[in-house]
Every structure is written in structure tokens, then in C-alpha cells.
Amino acid sequence: MLKDSQRLVVTTDSPDAIAAINQFIDQALFYGKDAEIAILQAIAADPNCALAHAYAASYYLSQENRIAWQQSQPYLQAAQKNLTKISNREQLYVQAILAWANKEINVAIALHEEITNTFPRDLISLQQGQYHYFYLGDKERSLQIAQKVLPANPENHYLYGMVAFSLEQCHQLAAAEAMGRQATLMNRYNPWAHHAVAHVLETQGRVDEGIAWMESFADTWENCNSMLYTHNWWHIALYYLKQGDVKKVLALYDHHIWESTEKKSPKNQVTAISLLLRLELQGVNVGSRWQDLSAYIYPRIHEHALPFQDLHYVYALFKAGFTHWGNQMLLSMEEHASSINPFLRQGWLEVAIPAARGMVAHAKGDFNTAIAQLEPVLPRLHEIGGSHTQRILFEQVYQHSQNAMLLVQKQSWIYKKVS
Ligand SMILES: [Fe+2]
């Protein structure tokens, strides 16, 4: 047995495997683009290392697509093969990833809580616990799980970034900004901390500061994975959109958010959709970008990795005029909502499905239906995850529908008066 960079025991005798695991841990916390390479190197160095296999499985699951889910399966099986020979922490972690693969998110969360209680240096487990809380909209517990391990990791700048983002989601903006800035002072290469402060500046309408803050760190994102690279640039685009600089926003979309990034990545697709829709709500003609993007959405139709993501995909399909695919996806979402496990079913049935119908109606220009479907679920949208900044989109769609209906009523009133 050896110890990793978190001073936690790993069941392996291979220093090469430990070195690669350490690289994976750093890449995961940095949101780096070499996480996959690192963990596969660990497995190559020690094919019997159960934790390395579980890390690989978690990496693929975090890609949120069907192919990656399939890729995770042999690693999960390999991790379980040595379950009796590994430490308690490793056993808990393997079980947590297994629960994630089975969509038993409540079980996964309980295990990550248990791991972080007993092994507060395990920031990979913490990160995954926060991921699940994020997509359940449980911002308080996301903050609690990060704060509870702070005393054990006073030197870890990544943890400060994780706490900062949760503080922001809990509306503790001053504390979030201080924590995010502190993380960045400890180490400039902390894109999640940059992102946490970006949220604060966005929420407080400090647009110029936001641009200056994020652009001053953009050079450090070159080795980020495409998810955070595009997401951080998306935040910059939102600032420029607030300034009304549409030309700049379209240029950012083309150069940093869609055209030059990983187009098959679900997260990138969601980010791009979110920006296109915001542009359109401001009356911008986005050209053929809906069609370009939606051609990549086909594999998403029956996946249903996360309801928050599905609301974006189904909207894009209708906006692009891919009505047949859009109808297929909506139907598939409804079937999925009825068959998923009870823990997730409520959010799907009571929030995601009406919201999806509302989004589809808006995409079709049926604003009455959009209002009727979206209005009841807006107060509950946090239940299907995403950040405040991301979810504001749905409120904007609702507001746009209302404005459109008011305009119709006004025009009809003027017409009656004239005639
Ligand atoms: Fe964000």
C-alpha cells in the first residue's frame, strides 16, 4: 500500500500508479484536459488497482453521454473484482461510483458524505458529492460538504474554489468573492475559483469588473477540459451580452464556445445552446447556428443524463427545425420520467417534463402554452440543477413569452379600435 498526494492510502505497490493517480487528482481538481490519460496510465501501471479503475469509471460517467457510460462499465467491473482486498475508503468510493452508474444518486451522495466524514482529505470524493448536489439543486448541502473538510485541507487552493462556488450559489456573495480571490492568490491556475468569482460579479451586475477578472485569467484555461474552457468563456460572453456587444458575443461563440471546441461534448452543447437562445431573446439573428449545432444533438435524444441538459437539447432541436427529432426526444423524456427510480422521478415528472413542454412551445412560437407550462414550474426549477445564472434562461424564456402575448393583445386591441 502507498499513499497518494492527498496522504490517503491506495491499495497498490506501484509508485508509477501512484504518480499517475496523483496526476489524475490534480487534473480532476483543475478540470484539466489530461485526466483521462492520467488515469489510464495508472491502470496500465497497476491493472489490479481498484481505485484507479473506479476513478476511470467516474471520469467516463462525468462525460454525461451514453457511449461514455458504456466505457465506464468494464472499469466498474474491474474495480469491484478486488473489492474485498482494498481499504474501507476505496470500498466506499467504488460503491459510490457504482451507485452513480445505476442512477442511485441518493446512495452515491450518502457514500460521498461518509467518505468525507472519515477521510476529509479526499477531495475527489468531495468533488463528486458536489456534482450530485449541483444537479439536485441542493446548494446548502453542497456548501456543507465542502466546508466540513476545510480544516483538514487549509493549504488546498482547489478546495477554496469549491467552497467559493457553493457560497455564491447560497447567495453569500461577499464570502464567495473573498474565498475565490483567496484561492486565486494561492495559485493562479484555479479555473473553478475564477468561475466562482465570475458568478459573484455577474450576480451583482459588475460587468466591467467581470470582463477584466475573467480575461486576466483566460491564458490559464488553455489546458482545461473543454467543459470548463467553454463555460468560462460563456461567462465572459454573458458580460458582453449585457453590454449589448452582440458582435463580440458572436465572435466568442464562434471562437471559444462552439466552433473550436469539442462539439460532441454534452456540456459544450448545453453551453452553446444557452448562449444562442440568450442572443435570440435579445432579437439577434444567429444565422444557421441552430442547425449547425443541432446536427450534433441526435445522440442525446434517448440519453437523459440530466434533466437540466435535456431542456436545452429539446429546445435546440425544435429551433433548428429538426421537428421529428424534437418530437422523438420529448416522447423519450416522458417515457424516461415514468421509468426512472423514485428518487429522481419526482423532479423529472413534476418539473422537467412541464418545463420541456414549455420550452418546446416557445421554440414553436406557441407562447400561450409556453406560459402555461413554464409558470407553475419556475419556482421549482432548482430541483433539476444548474446554477442560478444558467437557470435564469428559463425565466427569460417565460418573460419573452409573456411580452410576446402582451404585444399580440395590444395589436388586437388597436386593430379593434381602428376597425
Ligand atoms: Fe457558471
Side-chain angles (χ1 to χ4, degrees):
M1 283 196 183
L2 296 169
K3 283 188 177 176
D4 67 13
S5 55
Q6 304 182 118
R7 302 203 296 266
L8 294 167
V9 166
V10 179
T11 308
T12 181
D13 294 323
S14 165
D16 287 346
I18 287 290
I21 283 173
N22 289 343
Q23 172 72 359
F24 171 78
I25 291 168
D26 192 64
Q27 283 289 300
L29 298 177
F30 174 72
Y31 292 86
K33 61 184 178 188
D34 293 329
E36 182 182 16
I37 294 171
I39 202 55
L40 295 182
Q41 281 174 348
I43 291 170
D46 181 359
N48 294 318
C49 180
L51 189 64
H53 283 284
Y55 281 155
S58 75
Y59 169 81
Y60 291 115
L61 289 173
S62 75
Q63 303 306 302
E64 297 160 3
N65 67 72
R66 191 182 293 266
I67 292 171
W69 184 88
Q70 286 163 350
Q71 280 177 291
S72 75
Q73 295 306 298
Y75 295 104
L76 262 177
Q77 284 159 15
Q80 289 176 85
K81 231 193 294 181
N82 293 309
L83 206 56
T84 54
K85 299 173 194 158
I86 57 180
S87 70
N88 175 237
R89 177 182 75 97
E90 293 167 299
Q91 285 178 354
L92 292 170
Y93 186 82
V94 171
Q95 286 162 356
I97 304 307
L98 188 61
W100 182 8
N102 292 334
K103 289 191 183 288
E104 295 165 350
I105 305 302
N106 51 329
V107 176
I109 282 174
L111 288 161
H112 288 302
E113 287 284 1
E114 193 178 339
I115 294 169
T116 45
N117 282 338
T118 316
F119 306 96
R121 299 277 299 178
D122 191 340
L123 298 191
I124 295 299
S125 192
L126 163 68
Q127 188 183 45
Q128 277 154 14
Q130 280 203 312
Y131 172 93
H132 295 312
Y133 284 134
F134 181 74
Y135 282 112
L136 291 175
D138 197 339
K139 54 189 188 297
E140 287 84 10
R141 288 176 76 193
S142 181
L143 177 58
Q144 284 163 12
I145 194 174
Q147 282 182 324
K148 83 176 173 192
V149 303
L150 260 178
N153 301 278
E155 79 297 348
N156 195 303
H157 68 97
Y158 289 127
L159 177 57
Y160 284 59
M162 293 153 94
V163 173
F165 181 66
S166 289
L167 282 168
E168 193 280 336
Q169 291 297 291
C170 290
H171 302 291
Q172 297 182 42
L173 301 183
E177 183 174 353
M179 187 69 98
R181 286 183 184 274
Q182 191 178 345
T184 303
L185 285 174
M186 291 162 79
N187 190 318
R188 190 167 171 267
Y189 286 76
N190 189 333
W192 194 242
H194 308 155
H195 168 255
V197 176
H199 269 262
V200 173
L201 301 176
E202 149 90 23
T203 305
Q204 294 181 331
R206 294 156 63 188
V207 174
D208 293 340
E209 278 183 79
I211 291 171
W213 168 261
M214 289 299 266
E215 288 187 347
S216 74
F217 293 112
D219 65 293
T220 69
W221 306 335
E222 289 304 317
N223 290 318
C224 279
N225 62 28
S226 67
M227 183 284 285
L228 197 51
Y229 177 88
T230 52
H231 189 76
N232 275 350
W233 278 106
W234 175 82
H235 274 281
I236 294 178
L238 293 192
Y239 296 129
Y240 282 110
L241 193 58
K242 269 197 180 161
Q243 288 185 334
D245 191 344
V246 169
K247 212 171 148 189
K248 178 78 178 177
V249 178
L250 287 172
L252 289 175
Y253 178 91
D254 290 339
H255 295 124
H256 293 290
I257 294 166
W258 181 246
E259 286 305 331
S260 61
T261 58
E262 178 54 61
K263 293 182 180 179
K264 290 181 182 171
S265 157
K267 284 183 192 294
N268 293 1
Q269 292 166 353
V270 167
T271 300
I273 292 165
S274 178
L275 189 57
L276 280 190
L277 179 45
R278 280 171 158 89
L279 280 159
E280 277 207 341
L281 291 175
Q282 293 207 8
V284 177
N285 180 352
V286 300
S288 61
R289 289 180 179 85
W290 282 119
Q291 287 76 19
D292 295 343
L293 186 153
S294 296
Y296 292 86
I297 305 293
Y298 183 74
R300 305 281 87 81
I301 290 176
H302 298 291
E303 278 181 356
H304 314 306
L306 293 160
F308 172 80
Q309 324 272 56
D310 274 14
L311 297 188
H312 291 77
Y313 304 140
V314 77
Y315 187 91
L317 291 175
F318 278 96
K319 273 313 281 191
F322 299 162
T323 310
H324 181 60
W325 287 2
N327 284 328
Q328 265 188 51
M329 177 154 193
L330 193 55
L331 192 65
S332 181
M333 285 177 74
E334 288 165 350
E335 286 169 1
H336 178 75
S338 314
S339 61
I340 197 167
N341 69 57
F343 181 73
L344 297 174
R345 193 179 303 152
Q346 201 176 4
W348 270 96
L349 277 178
E350 296 177 11
V351 183
I353 296 301
R357 290 176 184 148
M359 293 297 283
V360 167
H362 182 272
K364 290 175 170 175
D366 177 1
F367 300 120
N368 258 331
T369 305
I371 293 167
Q373 292 288 341
L374 285 171
E375 195 169 75
V377 297
L378 284 182
R380 290 186 58 189
L381 271 177
H382 62 277
E383 292 176 33
I384 58 165
S387 68
H388 294 302
T389 307
Q390 287 174 312
R391 283 196 307 271
I392 283 170
L393 179 67
F394 305 116
E395 286 168 34
Q396 290 173 342
V397 167
Y398 170 75
Q399 201 58 55
H400 182 262
S401 305
Q402 276 212 321
N403 293 343
M405 287 313 298
L406 282 174
L407 190 65
V408 169
Q409 282 166 9
K410 204 171 160 187
Q411 283 168 343
S412 125
W413 182 76
I414 291 169
Y415 176 75
K416 275 182 197 160
K417 211 174 168 190
V418 171
S419 59

